[in-house]
Amino acid sequence: MLDKQFWNGRRVLVTGHTGFKGSWLSILLLSLGADVMGYSKQPAAEPNMFNVCRLNALIPTVIGDIADNDLLRNTIQSFEPEVVIHMAAQPLVRESYINTLETYSVNIMGTVNLLEILKTSNHLKVILNVTTDKCYENKEWVWGYREVDALGGHDPYSASKACSDLITTSYRKSFFAERGIGVATVRAGNVIGGGDWSTDRLIPDSIKALIKGTKIIIRKPHAVRPWQHVLEPLFGYLLLAEKLYKDDHKYSGAWNFGPRDSDVISVENVVRKLSEKWGSGSFEIQNDIELHEATNLKLDCSKASIILDWTPVWEIDKALDKVVNWTTAWIEGKDMHTYTLSQINEYLMGRNKTN
């Protein structure tokens, strides 16, 4: 389990905290008693989880570009974070074909800018750079990628994240290891959960269609992805951060956080399961302009399982149940910060029983 005593009062800077994944992380950290500050652009979607869960009133927030050196430097110097979790990014594969320069600027130079500033931080103990499972050189094979496998990237997004990962390793070896600062990159599978209104993502697009009563549009029904509830990798990130704080030498490096093999399933299978749980829904395949996207993605998470004793708790069916339940609660006008906390507590209790 996470050490609540460790996180209580711990100063944590989260970049990209206004996004879907960043919002879930921020609520989890607040529930542990952490002193959280966020640095991010305005939420990209409307509605968005950040505002729906009232995080704008709960977390000191600096709205800015990760590449804005002066603003980011002033934020870090004034807050003096002990832990930095870097999530700020352009996160979409297809968007990277359209806004390629922005993707490289944010995902590569934004990371450089952050790490360059953190070189002079006096209170820093841990840096986590959240990259992606797509940072691996995809060979379309059936085996899961391990942390020692080659990085690469056909599309601009994947390439930018591979670069961000390599840059982080370089900074760790060149500047942070000698100061006893733990630095890790974390590579998660396809995360799902309530409160994701992002564009051009399967689950959010499917939920929008189900609410409207229209057909779900899918592009690659046979594409296989490692689906997992967003809380799975977030728990892993924080567990790793605790270890890094206490032993930077042992735990620095790259880490995969993905689902069990049984939850690595096709797009079509996920849509069918989601529609069944919603109680209605159908889909159609749209053959639009073909942009390269990997067909098979899978992670080998043996390292996290063996060294961190981390394993997934919620299988795909339960994760999809939680998406439907969260969305239903939002439609019914419930307090979504409280409801999100209830799902977090249920997840933590389930993990406690598993252990």
Side-chain angles (χ1 to χ4, degrees):
M1 290 295 293
L2 296 175
D3 184 352
K4 197 166 185 178
Q5 185 175 356
F6 171 86
W7 290 104
N8 187 40
R10 186 77 59 192
R11 295 187 306 280
V12 184
L13 175 68
V14 180
T15 72
H17 71 301
T18 62
F20 159 66
K21 199 172 179 181
S23 293
W24 272 94
L25 175 64
S26 297
I27 296 172
L28 176 56
L29 283 166
L30 289 174
S31 74
L32 295 170
D35 181 6
V36 185
M37 173 170 274
Y39 184 100
S40 181
K41 288 185 175 180
Q42 293 283 1
E46 184 58 48
N48 57 80
M49 187 173 179
F50 182 76
N51 290 328
V52 165
C53 292
R54 298 180 282 108
L55 285 169
N56 52 334
L58 298 174
I59 296 176
T61 294
V62 176
I63 298 297
D65 193 320
I66 194 68
D68 186 333
N69 185 278
D70 290 339
L71 182 60
L72 183 58
R73 185 179 298 277
N74 290 338
T75 301
I76 290 171
Q77 289 179 345
S78 62
F79 184 57
E80 297 182 338
E82 300 166 85
V83 177
V84 173
I85 303 178
H86 177 43
M87 287 185 164
Q90 191 298 98
L92 301 173
V93 172
R94 288 167 66 83
E95 178 69 16
S96 73
Y97 284 104
I98 300 168
N99 292 310
T100 306
L101 182 60
E102 178 188 2
T103 300
Y104 284 130
S105 176
V106 172
N107 295 355
I108 298 176
M109 292 312 299
T111 300
V112 172
N113 189 47
L114 174 65
L115 294 174
E116 190 66 18
I117 293 169
L118 291 176
K119 279 167 54 177
T120 60
S121 179
N122 294 323
H123 296 81
L124 185 66
K125 291 291 292 181
V126 173
I127 303 170
L128 285 185
N129 181 13
V130 179
T131 60
T132 175
D133 58 345
K134 297 177 181 65
C135 70
Y136 291 105
E137 181 182 350
N138 192 288
K139 300 181 183 295
E140 299 290 1
W141 56 29
V142 297
W143 302 283
Y145 294 97
R146 299 174 301 163
E147 291 86 350
V148 294
D149 286 329
L151 302 184
H154 183 288
D155 59 89
Y157 167 74
S158 300
S160 72
K161 281 298 196 174
C163 289
S164 177
D165 214 298
L166 289 168
I167 288 164
T168 303
T169 299
S170 173
Y171 266 83
R172 172 173 61 85
K173 293 178 178 179
S174 300
F175 305 109
F176 294 112
E178 62 189 26
R179 295 174 54 196
I181 296 172
V183 181
T185 57
V186 288
R187 306 158 181 175
N190 285 44
V191 295
I192 63 175
D196 190 356
W197 281 280
S198 306
T199 58
D200 206 24
R201 278 185 179 154
L202 181 64
I203 299 300
D205 288 348
S206 298
I207 289 292
K208 292 170 190 174
L210 291 170
I211 291 173
K212 293 178 182 178
T214 59
K215 285 189 175 182
I216 299 168
I217 305 299
I218 59 177
R219 296 187 302 270
K220 301 183 71 173
H222 304 300
V224 173
R225 296 289 185 267
W227 310 97
Q228 60 186 332
H229 193 275
V230 65
L231 286 172
E232 301 283 13
L234 295 184
F235 182 95
Y237 300 169
L238 298 189
L239 182 63
L240 175 59
E242 291 180 16
K243 303 290 187 182
L244 282 166
Y245 193 98
K246 298 168 185 175
D247 189 341
D248 64 286
H249 179 74
K250 181 177 179 179
Y251 295 99
S252 287
W255 296 82
N256 287 342
F257 293 97
R260 295 182 177 88
D261 287 353
S262 58
D263 292 331
V264 182
I265 61 177
S266 71
V267 166
E268 180 178 344
N269 200 349
V270 168
V271 170
R272 290 187 183 278
K273 285 177 177 288
L274 180 62
S275 298
E276 180 182 344
K277 294 174 184 301
W278 189 264
S280 63
S282 60
F283 68 89
E284 67 178 50
I285 301 169
Q286 184 179 82
N287 295 314
D288 59 358
I289 298 173
E290 186 66 23
L291 297 175
H292 179 272
E293 293 183 81
T295 300
N296 294 304
L297 281 174
K298 186 177 179 182
L299 292 173
D300 183 328
C301 302
S302 301
K303 180 180 177 182
S305 176
I306 295 169
I307 299 177
L308 299 179
D309 196 24
W310 175 93
T311 53
V313 173
W314 285 352
E315 76 287 348
I316 183 62
D317 281 291
K318 190 158 190 175
L320 289 171
D321 282 336
K322 298 307 175 187
V323 173
V324 170
N325 294 345
W326 196 102
T327 306
T328 302
W330 172 69
I331 292 172
E332 293 173 350
K334 292 185 178 179
D335 182 320
M336 294 315 298
H337 184 270
T338 301
Y339 191 84
T340 301
L341 274 175
S342 72
Q343 287 199 342
I344 289 173
N345 290 332
E346 181 184 349
Y347 172 82
L348 294 177
M349 287 177 62
R351 181 169 282 281
N352 190 34
K353 290 178 181 178
T354 302
N355 293 337

